[in-house]
C-alpha cells in the first residue's frame, strides 16, 4: 500500500483499500526542567519555531538599526540557537522558520500596520529600500527578510512567511503543524514581547503546548517588557525553559 499524506497524518491506500488509522510516530519522551515545573515532553510530538531572526531585525544594516535601535540584544539568541538546532534536527524535531516576508504589493497590509513602520509617512517603511543596500524592508525573498547568515537553514527545515506579529494569522502554520502531528512547540527568536509572544499566545489559544526557550529568545524593547513576557508565559500561556535544560534532558 502507498502512504498518502504527511506522517503521522497519512493514510495507506491501494486500489481497493484505505487504511485511515494513522499509526503514531514512535514516542521519544524526555523530562525537562522549566521555571515552574518539570515537564514530560514527547519529542515525537514537538517542533521548534524560530521567529524573525532576520536581517531587518538582527543585522546592523537592517531596518531596526536604520531607525536607531541597538540590535545587539536581538543577536543574543544566535549562539544558543546554533547549539540547540542541530541537536533537535538530529532527533527529528522539525525546525520551522517563521519570518516576516510581505508581498511586494503590500495588498494584505493595512494602513495601521504600515504606520508602525513609517509613522511620519516620509521615512523608510515596509517595502521601501534600505539606504545602505537598497533591500526592500521585510519583503519576501529580499535580503531584509532573510534569516541572518549566522543561522543555517537546512533543506528539511520548514519556512513560513508571516504578515502580522502572530505567525498563525493568515498563514499555513497551523495546518503544517497539525499534519506533522506536532502539539508541543518550543519558541525562540525576536522580539520576545511582540512577534514571539503573539505567536505563542495564538498557539496556546489553538490548543498547543507552549514552551519559551529563554536564551534562544530576546527583545530590543526595555527590560520590563522581557520580564512581563516571561511572567505572562509562566502565568497564563505555558512554560519557560533554557536551551541547556533541553540539551541536558536529551543526554
Amino acid at each position: 500500500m502507498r502512504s498518502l499524506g504527511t506522517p503521522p497524518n497519512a493514510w495507506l491506500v491501494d486500489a481497493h483499500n484505505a487504511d485511515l488509522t494513522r499509526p503514531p510516530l514512535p514516542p521519544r519522551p524526555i523530562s525537562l526542567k522549566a521555571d515552574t515545573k518539570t515537564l514530560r515532553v514527547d519529542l515525537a510530538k514537538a517542533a521548534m519555531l524560530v521567529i524573525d531572526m532576520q536581517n531587518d531585525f538582527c543585522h546592523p544594516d537592517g531596518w531596526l538599526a536604520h531607525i536607531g535601535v541597538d540590535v545587539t540584544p536581538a543577536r543574543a539568541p544566535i549562539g544558543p540557537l546554533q547549539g540547540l538546532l542541530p541537536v533537535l534536527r538530529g532527533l527529528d524535531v522539525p525546525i520551522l522558520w517563521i519570518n516576516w516576508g510581505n508581498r511586494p504589493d503590500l495588498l494584505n497590509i493595512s494602513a495601521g500596520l504600515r504606520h508602525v513602520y513609517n509613522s511620519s509617512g516620509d521615512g523608510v517603511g515596509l517595502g521601501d529600500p534600505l539606504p545602505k543596500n537598497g533591500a526592500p524592508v521585510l519583503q519576501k525573498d529580499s535580503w531584509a527578510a532573510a534569516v541572518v547568515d549566522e543561522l543555517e537553514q537546512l533543506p528539511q527545515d520548514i519556512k513560513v512567511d508571516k504578515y502580522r506579529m502572530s505567525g498563525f494569522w493568515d498563514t499555513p502554520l497551523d495546518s503544517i503543524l497539525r499534519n506533522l502531528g506536532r502539539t508541543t512547540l518550543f519558541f525562540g527568536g525576536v522580539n520576545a514581547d511582540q512577534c514571539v509572544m503573539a505567536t505563542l499566545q495564538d498557539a496556546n489559544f489553538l490548543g498547543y503546548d507552549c514552551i519559551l526557550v529563554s536564551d534562544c529568545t530576546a527583545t530590543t524593547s526595555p527590560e520590563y517588557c522581557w520580564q512581563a513576557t516571561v511572567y505572562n508565559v509562566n502565568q497564563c500561556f505555558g512554560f519557560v525553559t533554557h536551551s541547556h535544560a533541553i540539551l541536558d534532558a536529551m543526554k
Side-chain angles (χ1 to χ4, degrees):
M1 299 179 78
R2 176 189 172 192
S3 179
L4 195 67
T6 302
N9 190 23
W11 298 353
L12 294 173
V13 302
D14 60 23
H16 306 288
N17 302 284
D19 181 348
L20 317 186
T21 58
R22 296 178 173 88
L25 298 174
R28 307 188 76 158
I30 61 170
S31 292
L32 173 63
K33 290 286 187 180
D35 284 0
T36 55
K37 293 189 175 183
T38 297
L39 311 178
R40 188 75 166 161
V41 174
D42 185 357
L43 293 179
K45 298 176 182 176
M48 176 78 197
L49 274 58
V50 184
I51 299 167
D52 287 354
M53 290 299 298
Q54 54 202 97
N55 289 321
D56 260 346
F57 299 132
C58 304
H59 194 283
D61 294 335
W63 179 78
L64 273 186
H66 167 74
I67 63 171
V69 175
D70 178 9
V71 298
T72 303
R75 299 181 60 80
I78 291 175
L81 286 168
Q82 287 173 330
L84 180 62
L85 298 186
V87 176
L88 292 177
R89 288 190 189 101
L91 295 169
D92 296 322
V93 176
I95 309 300
L96 288 88
W97 299 90
I98 317 299
N99 271 24
W100 201 310
N102 290 321
R103 294 166 52 101
D105 58 18
L106 298 176
L107 280 176
N108 61 332
I109 305 299
S110 69
L113 285 165
R114 296 182 71 166
H115 178 262
V116 173
Y117 290 85
N118 191 0
S119 59
S120 68
D122 56 10
V124 176
L126 296 179
D128 295 332
L130 290 167
K132 286 193 175 182
N133 56 26
V137 171
L138 291 180
Q139 183 171 302
K140 178 179 169 60
D141 298 326
S142 72
W143 175 89
V147 169
V148 293
D149 288 342
E150 294 88 345
L151 292 174
E152 185 179 19
Q153 296 176 288
L154 297 186
Q156 68 265 34
D157 295 348
I158 300 164
K159 302 177 184 179
V160 178
D161 294 313
K162 69 181 181 69
Y163 324 102
R164 302 292 189 274
M165 287 195 177
S166 172
F168 285 96
W169 202 92
D170 198 25
T171 78
L173 179 56
D174 184 50
S175 297
I176 290 169
L177 291 169
R178 293 188 189 281
N179 267 333
L180 293 172
R182 305 291 163 157
T183 55
T184 297
L185 305 182
F186 295 106
F187 289 84
V190 296
N191 276 307
D193 52 318
Q194 298 172 9
C195 294
V196 177
M197 186 61 167
T199 305
L200 188 151
Q201 284 178 306
D202 272 355
N204 171 269
F205 300 154
L206 289 165
Y208 292 96
D209 306 323
C210 300
I211 304 173
L212 182 71
V213 188
S214 59
D215 60 322
C216 291
T217 314
T219 183
T220 55
S221 302
E223 175 64 17
Y224 59 79
C225 296
W226 169 254
Q227 293 172 357
T229 300
V230 171
Y231 174 85
N232 280 318
V233 172
N234 277 324
Q235 182 75 7
C236 303
F237 302 115
F239 304 93
V240 178
T241 191
H242 193 280
S243 68
H244 292 314
I246 301 173
L247 296 172
D248 289 344
M250 295 175 183
K251 294 178 180 177

